[in-house]
Amino acid sequence: MLGYNNKIDSYQDELRMDFILRVKHNEFDPSCANATGGADTRGNCNLAFVYQYKGSDSPSYYRRIRYLNTIASASSSDQPWSGAYKWAQNRDEYFTVHTIINSGLYDYLTISIEGDLALKNSADASYYQPGGADEPVHIYAVVGEQKGVLSCSRPGTPWRWATTKIDDCKNFEPGTMINAPDRVSNVTSALTANGKNFTLYMQECLGKGAGLQCSGPYSWVGWDNNPNLYGGNQSNWGMVTDYGFPAYAGLSISGTAPGTAPSRSFFVYWLNVRGSTYYNPDGICSETNSYYYQWVALKDGQWVPVDELTPEPVLVTGQQPSPNTVTTTVAKAAQVSKYSAFNLPQQSDNPNELFATDRDGNPMPAQKADGGIDFREAKEKQGLDGYFKMVTWPVTTNRDGSACTVSPEVYNPMSKGLVGIDDNMNSSDIERNISAGWTINTAFYKYDVPRPKDPTITKIENDANSPLDASGSVYTSRLAPVVSGECTPSRDEAHPNMVVLYGEDPANPIGGGQGRNDDALARSADTWGFRLGEAECKVDAGSRQGAPGRYRTTISSIRRRIPATGSAGTGGIMPGWLNPPPGSV
C-alpha cells in the first residue's frame, strides 16, 4: 500500500487508494480498454475490483469498479501527457494502472482507485469516540478472465455488467461467490492484520454541551469539483507528472514541464463539527483554523521527508472562516470551494495557500513560483523512488483562542509529538506520525519498485569447511552440503526476502545473463534446472553488499560434483529471489 485515505468522514465518504498489485507476467494488458481514456464497460479486461460499498451498515452490499485506460499516453509522441491528464480530470468511479513494472515471472501494477462509499451517517455512541471508529471496507482484486468469476445473490447467478454505470450486488458473500479463489486477493487484509483498518469519523456530534461526543476534526478529501482543481475535477489523487501537463483554460493555469504538477492541483481544508454554538455553547475545542502539512516520499521503500519541498512539517494559519460554524452538508461543500488552500502563491483574499518556503521566506527548490511542484527535482536530488503523498494534521483551539486539551492526539497531535517525520526517526515512529494525520494528495514521478541486489554464493562447505577455490568450484563429499552467501534482507520482518537455489539441468544449461531481473528471466524459466533449497535472507553487519545480509541453507542428498561460481547465472548453482514481497522485487 502506497497511500490511502484511511480516515473517512461519513458525509463525503470516498475511497482513494494508491497501491502495488503483483500479477502473473502479461496477465494484464492495458490496451484492453482501447485508446487513452477508454473504459472497460463489458468485463473485457483481466482485472477488476469489488469492495464493500456500505461498510458495516450493510456488509454484503458490494460495488464493482472497473478500469480506465490512462497508460497509452506513454507511446504518444504528440501528446504524451494525455493519459495523465485524463486521470486528473476524472470525477467518476474507476481504477487505473499507471505503470507495469516487470520482474521476471511477475508484473507489478501501480494502481490508483477513485470510488464512492455510502457508509453509515448515524450510529450508536461508540462511533462518536475521538479518532473515529474502526470501519471494515474489504476490497478484492479479481485477476484474469472476469466472466463467470463472481456470483451475486446466490452461487451461479452472474454479476451483471452494465455499460452505463458501476454494478452493485446487494447480497455478495466473498467466501461463496468468488468462483476462482486462486485469482482473487483481499487488498485490505494486510492493513487489517496490522491494525491499520479504516476509521469512520461521524459528520455530526452526539449530545450537547458537557455531554458532547465527536469523532474529531476531519480534512476534506475532495470529490467532483469540490473544490475545483486543475482539470476541473480530482487531480489531487494519483497524479502522474512524468510527462508534464497542458495549460488549463478553465482556471487560467499554465502548462508544465515533465515532472512538474500544475498550480492548484492539490489542496487542504479542515472542518470541525464541534463548531456549532448550539451544540457546543462553551466553544470547547471548536476551532480548527490552523494545520500542519508535509510532503513525504518513498526512498528504498521507506518514508522520508521531501527535502527539496518540505523537509519539516509546515504550519499554516488563518484558514477562513473563523469561527467555523458550518453544520449543514450543502454549506460544507460551498465553504470548501471558497476557502480551501491550494498549491498557489499566497493570495490577498486567501492567505493560507500551500506555498513551501525556507525559514527566510524563499521558495523551496521544488516549489515553482506559480505554485507548481517540481517532483522531478525532488526525486533526482534525493534519490527517491518516485511516489509522493501530502499528509496534514489539525491544530485546534477553544473558541476564545485558548488551548484545546480534549483528546490532544486527535485535536492537537503536535502536542503529542505526532506531527511530521524526519530522517532521524525509526520506522515505527514514522508510521505512527503518518497514521496520525490525513493523507489528502498523492503524486508520481517515474515511480519504480526498489529491487534488491542479486544474491551471491560465497561458500559451499566441504570437509575442510573452506570457501570457494580460485575457479569458483568446490568438491564436497557431504551428502547434505551447506551453501551460504550474501543477499539483501527485507526491511519488513513480517515479509522476509527468500533466496532459492537451483541446480543445473545438463539438458537445459543455465544461460549467461539469467541473473537479470527482467522479462528474459520469465522466457527462460525452463533452464532453471532443479530446485535445491531455500533460505531466509537475514541481516548481517559483516556482509559486503549495500544492504548487508546473509543466507545459509542445506542441500539434501547431493552425490555429485557441483561446479559453482560467485554470481548468478554462470555456473552449476544459481541463487535467485523467490516470491519477494511488494517493495522488494
Side-chain angles (χ1 to χ4, degrees):
M1 187 62 63
L2 297 172
Y4 68 114
N5 59 325
N6 61 311
K7 298 180 176 69
I8 303 173
D9 74 89
S10 63
Y11 165 56
Q12 46 151 14
D13 34 7
E14 296 280 319
L15 181 65
R16 300 287 185 268
M17 277 188 160
D18 300 324
F19 57 93
I20 306 298
L21 184 72
R22 190 185 73 182
V23 300
K24 184 173 66 176
H25 180 52
N26 283 337
E27 182 81 68
F28 177 76
D29 178 4
S31 65
C32 61
N34 301 318
T36 306
D40 179 21
T41 59
R42 297 185 179 274
N44 295 325
C45 293
N46 286 346
L47 182 61
F49 293 88
V50 297
Y51 64 91
Q52 281 180 302
Y53 179 55
K54 296 193 174 184
S56 62
D57 210 27
S58 182
S60 63
Y61 196 125
Y62 273 72
R63 171 164 286 187
R64 178 166 50 191
I65 191 168
R66 34 255 188 73
Y67 172 63
L68 181 70
N69 185 4
T70 63
I71 206 171
S73 61
S75 61
S76 173
S77 59
D78 57 339
Q79 294 182 333
W81 40 260
S82 58
Y85 186 55
K86 193 71 178 182
W87 185 247
Q89 290 182 303
N90 178 46
R91 66 182 296 169
D92 297 314
E93 295 180 288
Y94 288 108
F95 76 88
T96 193
V97 177
H98 299 301
T99 53
I100 299 176
I101 303 169
N102 174 251
S103 181
L105 298 180
Y106 303 106
D107 288 336
Y108 285 76
L109 310 181
T110 307
I111 294 173
S112 288
I113 286 181
E114 294 182 347
D116 291 336
L117 292 166
L119 306 180
K120 61 181 65 181
N121 290 323
S122 61
D124 59 60
S126 64
Y127 266 79
Y128 294 83
Q129 59 185 314
D134 282 348
E135 181 68 7
V137 180
H138 291 292
I139 304 168
Y140 292 90
V142 184
V143 182
E145 171 63 41
Q146 298 292 302
K147 305 293 176 59
V149 174
L150 302 177
S151 298
C152 184
S153 298
R154 62 182 184 277
T157 302
W159 195 329
R160 180 178 57 88
W161 277 92
T163 59
T164 58
K165 66 176 183 179
I166 303 300
D167 295 337
D168 289 0
C169 177
K170 297 179 180 179
N171 299 289
F172 182 65
E173 298 292 341
T176 60
M177 295 182 183
I178 297 177
N179 304 318
D182 59 318
R183 295 194 284 111
V184 174
S185 176
N186 187 341
V187 175
T188 52
S189 61
L191 299 176
T192 303
N194 292 324
K196 299 177 185 177
N197 206 352
F198 293 91
T199 54
L200 181 62
Y201 278 54
M202 305 309 291
Q203 63 173 320
E204 297 174 344
C205 297
L206 186 68
K208 184 180 178 181
L212 196 66
Q213 291 180 256
C214 309
S215 300
Y218 60 84
S219 184
W220 195 263
V221 174
W223 45 273
D224 294 355
N225 60 350
N226 298 294
N228 196 5
L229 300 172
Y230 170 81
N233 290 294
Q234 294 161 192
S235 65
N236 65 302
W237 199 269
M239 190 177 207
V240 176
T241 65
D242 294 21
Y243 317 102
F245 290 89
Y248 177 59
L251 290 171
S252 300
I253 295 175
S254 302
T256 63
T260 300
S263 59
R264 202 179 168 108
S265 47
F266 308 111
F267 80 100
V268 171
Y269 191 81
W270 278 91
L271 281 159
N272 185 350
V273 292
R274 295 179 67 102
S276 167
T277 54
Y278 177 78
Y279 291 102
N280 186 12
D282 295 329
I284 303 300
C285 299
S286 62
E287 310 308 311
T288 302
N289 300 307
S290 301
Y291 54 85
Y292 288 90
Y293 80 91
Q294 185 178 27
W295 281 98
V296 300
L298 286 174
K299 181 175 183 179
D300 298 327
Q302 302 295 300
W303 294 111
V304 297
V306 180
D307 292 343
E308 303 302 301
L309 190 62
T310 53
E312 56 189 23
V314 177
L315 175 63
V316 178
T317 61
Q319 178 182 283
Q320 298 298 313
S322 180
N324 187 334
T325 59
V326 167
T327 57
T328 67
T329 56
V330 174
K332 288 177 184 177
Q335 183 168 302
V336 168
S337 295
K338 184 176 182 180
Y339 294 112
S340 284
F342 305 98
N343 55 311
L344 288 169
Q346 287 192 0
Q347 310 293 307
S348 58
D349 60 342
N350 194 10
N352 66 317
E353 303 291 19
L354 308 172
F355 193 81
T357 62
D358 61 22
R359 295 183 179 182
D360 295 325
N362 302 308
M364 292 296 291
Q367 176 69 73
K368 310 296 284 186
D370 66 350
I373 297 176
D374 190 342
F375 292 109
R376 176 180 179 177
E377 179 166 357
K379 175 182 177 176
E380 293 179 351
K381 284 190 176 181
Q382 201 174 343
L384 303 173
D385 297 346
Y387 179 75
F388 305 82
K389 64 182 181 181
M390 178 194 282
V391 186
T392 178
W393 301 262
V395 177
T396 307
T397 66
N398 299 323
R399 188 167 294 133
D400 62 6
S402 58
C404 163
T405 58
V406 173
S407 302
E409 68 281 355
V410 174
Y411 287 88
N412 285 304
M414 176 59 87
S415 66
K416 293 292 185 178
L418 299 176
V419 169
I421 67 171
D422 60 53
D423 294 329
N424 298 318
M425 284 184 173
N426 60 45
S427 58
S428 60
D429 288 345
I430 288 174
E431 187 61 45
R432 178 200 65 191
N433 282 21
I434 290 177
S435 296
W438 289 61
T439 297
I440 299 303
N441 306 291
T442 71
F444 295 89
Y445 175 68
K446 293 189 176 180
Y447 174 74
D448 198 6
V449 177
R451 296 160 173 78
K453 296 180 179 179
D454 289 333
T456 59
I457 296 171
T458 57
K459 181 187 290 187
I460 300 177
E461 297 179 10
N462 60 14
D463 296 328
N465 194 24
S466 64
L468 303 181
D469 61 25
S471 68
S473 300
V474 67
Y475 179 83
T476 178
S477 60
R478 293 187 179 186
L479 297 182
V482 176
V483 177
S484 59
E486 295 184 339
C487 53
T488 305
S490 171
R491 293 178 182 270
D492 184 357
E493 295 181 357
H495 299 89
N497 279 348
M498 303 296 292
V499 178
V500 60
L501 298 177
Y502 295 91
E504 185 175 75
D505 175 5
N508 292 290
I510 296 171
Q514 268 197 246
R516 294 197 310 271
N517 198 6
D518 58 19
D519 190 45
L521 185 63
R523 292 196 303 269
S524 58
D526 59 339
T527 69
W528 288 8
F530 305 102
R531 178 167 165 164
L532 301 175
E534 69 177 56
E536 178 183 341
C537 180
K538 298 182 177 181
V539 174
D540 177 11
S543 179
R544 292 191 300 272
Q545 287 190 248
R550 183 167 291 279
Y551 71 92
R552 188 172 185 270
T553 186
T554 300
I555 301 176
S556 300
S557 300
I558 297 296
R559 296 179 174 86
R560 61 185 176 86
R561 181 180 172 86
I562 304 174
T565 64
S567 63
T570 56
I573 298 181
M574 179 178 71
W577 295 105
L578 173 68
N579 294 342
S584 295
V585 183

